[in-house]
Amino acid sequence: MNPATAGFGSACRFALLALLALCAQARAQTDPLPSWNEGAAKQAIVRFVRDTTTQGSPQFVDPVARIATFDQDGTTWVEQPLYAQVMFAFHQVGVLAGKEPKLREIEPFRTILSGDPAQIAKLSLPELEKVLAETHTGMTVEVFQKSVQDWVTTAQHPRFHRLYTELVYQPMIEVMQYLRANGYKTYIVTGGGQDFVRVYSERVYGVPREQVVGSTSDTTFGYDADGKSQLTKVPQGVRVDDKSGKPVGIHLMIGRRPTAAFGNSSGDQEMLEYAQDGGGARLMMLVHHDDATREYAYGPDSKIGTFPDALMSEAKQRGWVVISMKNDWKRIFAWEP
Amino acid sequence: MNPATAGFGSACRFALLALLALCAQARAQTDPLPSWNEGAAKQAIVRFVRDTTTQGSPQFVDPVARIATFDQDGTTWVEQPLYAQVMFAFHQVGVLAGKEPKLREIEPFRTILSGDPAQIAKLSLPELEKVLAETHTGMTVEVFQKSVQDWVTTAQHPRFHRLYTELVYQPMIEVMQYLRANGYKTYIVTGGGQDFVRVYSERVYGVPREQVVGSTSDTTFGYDADGKSQLTKVPQGVRVDDKSGKPVGIHLMIGRRPTAAFGNSSGDQEMLEYAQDGGGARLMMLVHHDDATREYAYGPDSKIGTFPDALMSEAKQRGWVVISMKNDWKRIFAWEP
């Protein structure tokens, strides 16, 4: 680069930075979290962002290390009465049975096709794994993505009668946007399928595919009949991104401890510990489902989104912030009046 | 957001975009690839960037899909006479033997400690795997990172007598910067260890840790004596990110086919195929080592960086661009006079 163009480049950089600072100032004057009630939870988020992004602050975090991880089911969208991905799997059993009618005679597919919740609830873990393998593997990644896209743009939630993607929590969307506006990279770190969530993560959360960490199984490389290279999803090499699998997935996919981590259940405990034990300014938050009117209230004995008393104790002891949906969230969904 | 601040936000956005466009124009007038000689290879890069980033171009690529993947050894830095990471592993055997003198009596460590290249070359694959396991697992990820950091900031290349990180190819650094300036995310996709490359990728390539895709083994979650959570590297679950492992790794870590892919050997063949078969504008390039004076010249029978005649034929047939180090690169290293 010759000195003249280097000078022009510097001038550009200076003008851009000055304008960015001005715009940031303008933005700071508006409330970045309008769906949050004033309170300890909202304050904790605002204070964390200020402390970690203000130059000269003792808790300043280098922009490359600004990583925020969000669990999905129960943290960024509704997980009751069943995980969306399980609903997708059950739906796919119907699609498969349309093509291979023999499936209607074989368990556990017959039970799922019966639609009887009591019988379905009795299915064993190996039976459910068989359903997941049948509906999630044996096709190219593109064919799988298409099936998720078809489902997620049409399937409705049984209580709210809306698309699942309309059941994301507006307050959490605001936290993600606020963090990104302050130089954070936001990740979904979910027990759900990585390839499943990637289909809508960009559109729904503003999180690009490469920032989704989830459960995976292997893919195998090969060629189609026309000699085009392709990857096929296979049921081997399953990695479950839950509990201790979350820090493992975070290291695999990101390579550093999160500065902020958000969850809602025992499945997120290790992720929050792993974030906090990196030291320095860290923000750990747990969504507590205590609003049966607007969403759901589930106690320590819930099968989905388990939040036992021991987790509440650990949160208190470690200084994690527990979000009360009922008290901290002014509205839960974007479409609320 | 109230209408007044929304208006201010739009004004900011407009001013920023206008300034960005002006700066981009200024930059476009300088040569983005000063270490490249004029020729087909340089032209291919410039044309690809223009075609995929010009609004309204039939080959325009959505910014979220602008993914460029770079092999490391032999593509972005020197791989002869031995991969840097193998040199690191051999060095670590010495470090370990200092702590556990018994290792000096046990094969294959004894042979490695002898330093005799002829004997070392005779080691079998299982013996080399034993060395890799011993030097790359059994410690926390932080302890491993520290050992790589110590080595990479001190170890010198036997011919050039410089740090390995000084042996990166300046022309490829310029390609990475040029792509990033045009909205591409740049990734290292290497047969080398993911945790190894992550230690210096940000500093040397401007590629953050989360954009390094490499060979991995499992980590296990646990707690240290003080109850702090930690991850320990273990030798199970090895995934080799080479040949068909590269598309697999790309899908796992990124989730979409690269728009541009750069390699230098048979190990990169499947990655380039996978990029190209995504359709539309794609750029596939192979570095050909034909410059024994400034770097190395290795023929189709080389053990490292294998570039057999079949790969050259496939490159011709598929329209991949072969980069001649000798003819296309004005300079290879940043420190050349």
Side-chain angles (χ1 to χ4, degrees):
Chain A
M1 199 178 278
N2 70 53
T5 55
F8 197 88
S10 301
C12 267
R13 200 169 304 122
F14 177 78
L16 269 170
L17 286 174
L19 188 57
L20 273 170
L22 268 173
C23 291
Q25 221 170 11
R27 199 176 44 218
Q29 287 158 9
T30 71
D31 182 355
L33 303 171
S35 297
W36 290 71
N37 288 316
E38 299 305 321
K42 180 172 179 175
Q43 274 172 24
I45 301 166
V46 173
R47 193 184 320 118
F48 168 79
V49 168
R50 193 190 56 214
D51 289 349
T52 59
T53 62
T54 306
Q55 284 280 358
S57 153
Q59 300 193 303
F60 181 78
V61 173
D62 187 329
V64 298
R66 292 186 197 161
I67 302 289
T69 55
F70 293 80
D71 168 58
Q72 179 181 242
D73 295 299
T75 300
T76 61
W77 78 356
V78 171
E79 65 182 341
Q80 296 283 0
L82 268 179
Y83 298 126
Q85 194 169 356
V86 173
M87 303 295 275
F88 163 76
F90 289 177
H91 172 82
Q92 286 306 103
V93 169
V95 173
L96 290 173
K99 293 176 193 163
E100 299 172 58
K102 274 184 192 170
L103 274 187
R104 297 184 185 281
E105 312 305 319
I106 305 168
E107 289 297 353
F109 307 104
R110 196 171 64 159
T111 296
I112 286 165
L113 291 166
S114 77
D116 179 347
Q119 292 303 314
I120 290 172
K122 283 185 199 157
L123 291 174
S124 67
L125 192 61
E127 284 175 316
L128 286 173
E129 282 170 357
K130 198 171 168 185
V131 173
L132 281 176
E134 194 67 34
T135 55
H136 284 68
T137 65
M139 70 290 280
T140 66
V141 298
E142 285 86 0
V143 166
F144 178 74
Q145 284 161 356
K146 174 72 168 55
S147 70
V148 177
Q149 176 69 10
D150 289 347
W151 181 82
V152 86
T153 51
T154 53
Q156 295 209 337
H157 186 276
R159 170 176 159 191
F160 294 105
H161 304 294
R162 288 185 175 261
L163 300 179
Y164 286 86
T165 52
E166 292 178 282
L167 300 180
V168 297
Y169 305 139
Q170 179 60 21
M172 294 307 266
I173 298 288
E174 290 169 8
V175 172
M176 288 179 155
Q177 290 170 337
Y178 180 41
L179 286 169
R180 288 197 293 265
N182 285 280
Y184 277 86
K185 268 192 173 176
T186 52
Y187 283 79
I188 299 287
V189 177
T190 174
Q194 187 164 292
D195 283 347
F196 181 84
V197 178
R198 276 172 168 175
V199 171
Y200 55 82
S201 62
E202 171 84 31
R203 177 170 61 84
V204 174
Y205 300 119
V207 172
R209 291 186 203 178
E210 61 270 25
Q211 286 166 222
V212 174
V213 181
S215 296
T216 55
S217 65
D218 288 345
T219 59
T220 55
F221 179 85
Y223 303 90
D224 69 12
D226 298 326
K228 297 266 183 202
S229 53
Q230 61 181 18
L231 291 174
T232 301
K233 289 170 72 68
V234 294
Q236 288 79 43
V238 174
R239 198 187 75 74
V240 179
D241 193 72
D242 197 31
K243 300 185 184 288
S244 66
K246 290 204 174 191
V248 167
I250 287 167
H251 178 70
L252 175 66
M253 303 284 289
I254 311 175
R256 61 173 86 236
R257 296 186 188 234
T259 325
F262 301 79
N264 78 305
S265 80
S266 296
D268 305 308
Q269 178 193 337
E270 288 87 349
M271 174 168 76
L272 269 61
E273 291 172 351
Y274 188 63
Q276 182 166 35
D277 293 342
R282 307 273 166 167
L283 178 65
M284 284 67 58
M285 300 188 88
L286 288 170
V287 176
H288 192 220
H289 293 261
D290 57 1
D291 191 335
T293 310
R294 296 187 298 171
E295 204 243 12
Y296 293 94
Y298 27 120
D301 56 347
S302 171
K303 279 193 179 171
I304 281 179
T306 318
F307 200 136
D309 295 335
L311 182 61
M312 193 61 94
S313 301
E314 180 171 1
K316 272 186 194 148
Q317 194 207 318
R318 278 181 167 261
W320 298 348
V321 182
V322 176
I323 299 162
S324 160
M325 287 184 94
K326 193 172 177 176
N327 300 319
D328 287 316
W329 288 359
K330 199 176 287 178
R331 58 175 185 170
I332 294 180
F333 304 114
W335 42 264
E336 277 173 30
Chain B
M1 199 178 280
N2 70 52
T5 55
F8 198 89
S10 302
C12 266
R13 200 168 305 122
F14 177 79
L16 269 171
L17 286 174
L19 189 56
L20 273 170
L22 267 174
C23 290
Q25 219 170 12
R27 200 175 44 220
Q29 287 158 9
T30 72
D31 182 354
L33 303 171
S35 298
W36 290 72
N37 287 317
E38 299 305 322
K42 180 173 179 174
Q43 274 171 25
I45 301 165
V46 173
R47 192 183 323 117
F48 168 79
V49 169
R50 192 190 56 214
D51 290 349
T52 59
T53 63
T54 304
Q55 284 279 359
S57 152
Q59 302 193 301
F60 182 77
V61 173
D62 187 329
V64 298
R66 291 185 198 162
I67 301 289
T69 55
F70 293 80
D71 167 58
Q72 178 181 243
D73 296 298
T75 299
T76 60
W77 78 355
V78 171
E79 66 182 339
Q80 296 283 359
L82 268 180
Y83 299 125
Q85 194 169 354
V86 173
M87 302 295 273
F88 163 75
F90 290 177
H91 171 82
Q92 286 306 103
V93 169
V95 173
L96 290 172
K99 293 175 192 162
E100 300 173 57
K102 273 183 190 169
L103 275 187
R104 297 183 185 282
E105 311 306 318
I106 306 168
E107 287 298 351
F109 306 104
R110 196 170 67 159
T111 296
I112 285 164
L113 290 166
S114 77
D116 178 348
Q119 291 304 313
I120 290 171
K122 282 185 200 158
L123 291 174
S124 67
L125 192 60
E127 285 174 315
L128 287 173
E129 281 170 357
K130 199 171 169 186
V131 173
L132 281 177
E134 193 67 35
T135 55
H136 285 66
T137 65
M139 71 289 282
T140 65
V141 297
E142 284 87 359
V143 166
F144 178 73
Q145 284 161 354
K146 174 74 167 57
S147 71
V148 177
Q149 176 68 11
D150 288 347
W151 181 83
V152 87
T153 51
T154 53
Q156 294 210 337
H157 186 276
R159 170 176 159 192
F160 294 105
H161 304 294
R162 288 186 175 261
L163 299 179
Y164 286 86
T165 52
E166 292 178 285
L167 300 180
V168 297
Y169 305 139
Q170 180 59 20
M172 295 306 266
I173 298 289
E174 291 168 6
V175 172
M176 289 180 155
Q177 290 170 338
Y178 181 42
L179 286 168
R180 287 197 293 264
N182 285 281
Y184 277 86
K185 268 192 173 176
T186 52
Y187 283 79
I188 298 287
V189 177
T190 174
Q194 187 164 292
D195 284 347
F196 180 85
V197 178
R198 278 171 166 175
V199 172
Y200 55 82
S201 63
E202 172 83 32
R203 175 170 61 85
V204 173
Y205 299 119
V207 172
R209 293 186 205 178
E210 60 270 25
Q211 287 166 222
V212 174
V213 180
S215 296
T216 55
S217 65
D218 288 345
T219 59
T220 56
F221 179 86
Y223 302 90
D224 69 11
D226 298 326
K228 298 267 183 202
S229 54
Q230 61 181 17
L231 292 174
T232 301
K233 289 170 71 68
V234 295
Q236 288 79 42
V238 173
R239 197 187 76 73
V240 179
D241 193 71
D242 197 32
K243 300 185 183 288
S244 65
K246 289 204 174 193
V248 167
I250 287 167
H251 178 70
L252 175 67
M253 303 284 291
I254 310 176
R256 61 172 86 236
R257 296 187 188 234
T259 325
F262 301 79
N264 78 304
S265 80
S266 296
D268 304 308
Q269 180 193 335
E270 288 86 349
M271 174 168 77
L272 269 62
E273 291 171 352
Y274 188 64
Q276 182 166 35
D277 292 341
R282 306 272 167 169
L283 178 65
M284 285 66 59
M285 300 188 87
L286 288 170
V287 177
H288 191 221
H289 293 261
D290 57 1
D291 192 334
T293 309
R294 294 187 299 172
E295 204 244 10
Y296 294 93
Y298 29 119
D301 56 347
S302 171
K303 279 192 179 172
I304 281 180
T306 319
F307 200 136
D309 295 335
L311 182 61
M312 192 62 95
S313 301
E314 181 172 1
K316 271 187 195 150
Q317 194 208 319
R318 277 182 168 260
W320 298 347
V321 182
V322 176
I323 300 163
S324 159
M325 287 185 92
K326 192 171 175 177
N327 300 320
D328 286 316
W329 288 358
K330 199 177 287 179
R331 59 175 184 168
I332 294 180
F333 304 113
W335 42 264
E336 278 173 29

mmCIF file of all heavy atoms in Angstrom, chain B residues 1 28 33 78 148 165 175 203 220 228 237 275 285:
data_model
loop_
_atom_site.group_PDB
_atom_site.id
_atom_site.type_symbol
_atom_site.label_atom_id
_atom_site.label_comp_id
_atom_site.label_asym_id
_atom_site.label_seq_id
_atom_site.Cartn_x
_atom_site.Cartn_y
_atom_site.Cartn_z
ATOM 1 N N MET B 1 -39.376 1.099 20.221
ATOM 2 C CA MET B 1 -38.618 2.277 19.758
ATOM 3 C C MET B 1 -39.618 3.326 19.291
ATOM 4 O O MET B 1 -40.523 3.020 18.518
ATOM 5 C CB MET B 1 -37.718 1.854 18.598
ATOM 6 C CG MET B 1 -36.584 2.829 18.333
ATOM 7 S SD MET B 1 -35.534 2.254 16.986
ATOM 8 C CE MET B 1 -34.493 1.057 17.814
ATOM 9 N N ALA B 28 -10.971 0.156 -3.349
ATOM 10 C CA ALA B 28 -10.986 -0.594 -4.601
ATOM 11 C C ALA B 28 -9.962 -0.035 -5.581
ATOM 12 O O ALA B 28 -9.497 -0.731 -6.473
ATOM 13 C CB ALA B 28 -12.369 -0.568 -5.218
ATOM 14 N N LEU B 33 -4.168 -7.033 -3.915
ATOM 15 C CA LEU B 33 -3.304 -8.220 -3.939
ATOM 16 C C LEU B 33 -1.898 -7.849 -4.430
ATOM 17 O O LEU B 33 -1.430 -8.351 -5.455
ATOM 18 C CB LEU B 33 -3.923 -9.293 -4.847
ATOM 19 C CG LEU B 33 -5.348 -9.768 -4.510
ATOM 20 C CD1 LEU B 33 -5.908 -10.652 -5.627
ATOM 21 C CD2 LEU B 33 -5.377 -10.520 -3.174
ATOM 22 N N VAL B 78 4.245 -22.799 5.333
ATOM 23 C CA VAL B 78 5.178 -23.845 4.921
ATOM 24 C C VAL B 78 4.868 -25.172 5.614
ATOM 25 O O VAL B 78 4.603 -25.193 6.819
ATOM 26 C CB VAL B 78 6.617 -23.394 5.249
ATOM 27 C CG1 VAL B 78 7.608 -24.528 5.044
ATOM 28 C CG2 VAL B 78 6.998 -22.172 4.411
ATOM 29 N N VAL B 148 1.272 -24.909 23.396
ATOM 30 C CA VAL B 148 1.376 -24.513 21.979
ATOM 31 C C VAL B 148 1.913 -23.084 21.895
ATOM 32 O O VAL B 148 2.802 -22.782 21.085
ATOM 33 C CB VAL B 148 0.008 -24.610 21.266
ATOM 34 C CG1 VAL B 148 0.120 -24.127 19.821
ATOM 35 C CG2 VAL B 148 -0.517 -26.040 21.307
ATOM 36 N N THR B 165 5.268 -19.021 12.436
ATOM 37 C CA THR B 165 4.240 -18.017 12.142
ATOM 38 C C THR B 165 4.763 -16.906 11.224
ATOM 39 O O THR B 165 3.970 -16.101 10.731
ATOM 40 C CB THR B 165 3.710 -17.384 13.446
ATOM 41 O OG1 THR B 165 4.823 -16.918 14.218
ATOM 42 C CG2 THR B 165 2.918 -18.405 14.245
ATOM 43 N N VAL B 175 -5.260 -12.467 0.181
ATOM 44 C CA VAL B 175 -6.544 -13.000 -0.296
ATOM 45 C C VAL B 175 -7.553 -13.026 0.848
ATOM 46 O O VAL B 175 -8.717 -12.633 0.691
ATOM 47 C CB VAL B 175 -6.376 -14.414 -0.903
ATOM 48 C CG1 VAL B 175 -7.734 -15.031 -1.216
ATOM 49 C CG2 VAL B 175 -5.524 -14.357 -2.167
ATOM 50 N N ARG B 203 -4.114 -13.997 15.632
ATOM 51 C CA ARG B 203 -2.953 -13.111 15.500
ATOM 52 C C ARG B 203 -2.328 -13.221 14.115
ATOM 53 O O ARG B 203 -1.942 -12.221 13.517
ATOM 54 C CB ARG B 203 -1.939 -13.520 16.588
ATOM 55 C CG ARG B 203 -0.626 -12.802 16.546
ATOM 56 C CD ARG B 203 0.200 -13.102 17.805
ATOM 57 N NE ARG B 203 0.528 -14.513 17.985
ATOM 58 C CZ ARG B 203 1.564 -15.136 17.429
ATOM 59 N NH1 ARG B 203 2.364 -14.473 16.620
ATOM 60 N NH2 ARG B 203 1.793 -16.418 17.658
ATOM 61 N N THR B 220 -13.515 -34.036 28.083
ATOM 62 C CA THR B 220 -14.456 -34.436 29.134
ATOM 63 C C THR B 220 -14.555 -33.311 30.156
ATOM 64 O O THR B 220 -13.569 -32.663 30.496
ATOM 65 C CB THR B 220 -14.021 -35.729 29.843
ATOM 66 O OG1 THR B 220 -12.701 -35.547 30.358
ATOM 67 C CG2 THR B 220 -14.009 -36.902 28.881
ATOM 68 N N LYS B 228 -13.612 -25.765 40.389
ATOM 69 C CA LYS B 228 -13.802 -24.996 39.149
ATOM 70 C C LYS B 228 -13.995 -25.959 37.978
ATOM 71 O O LYS B 228 -13.244 -26.937 37.844
ATOM 72 C CB LYS B 228 -12.563 -24.133 38.860
ATOM 73 C CG LYS B 228 -12.273 -23.097 39.910
ATOM 74 C CD LYS B 228 -12.906 -21.756 39.570
ATOM 75 C CE LYS B 228 -12.532 -20.715 40.620
ATOM 76 N NZ LYS B 228 -13.467 -19.597 40.653
ATOM 77 N N GLY B 237 -12.559 -40.572 20.458
ATOM 78 C CA GLY B 237 -13.399 -39.789 19.550
ATOM 79 C C GLY B 237 -12.624 -38.945 18.558
ATOM 80 O O GLY B 237 -13.002 -37.817 18.261
ATOM 81 N N ALA B 275 -17.360 -27.570 -2.353
ATOM 82 C CA ALA B 275 -17.612 -26.151 -2.607
ATOM 83 C C ALA B 275 -18.235 -25.986 -3.993
ATOM 84 O O ALA B 275 -19.308 -25.395 -4.147
ATOM 85 C CB ALA B 275 -16.309 -25.355 -2.498
ATOM 86 N N MET B 285 -9.192 -23.063 -5.695
ATOM 87 C CA MET B 285 -7.796 -22.834 -6.065
ATOM 88 C C MET B 285 -6.872 -23.811 -5.357
ATOM 89 O O MET B 285 -7.103 -24.183 -4.209
ATOM 90 C CB MET B 285 -7.384 -21.398 -5.718
ATOM 91 C CG MET B 285 -8.226 -20.338 -6.426
ATOM 92 S SD MET B 285 -7.602 -18.632 -6.210
ATOM 93 C CE MET B 285 -6.427 -18.526 -7.568
#
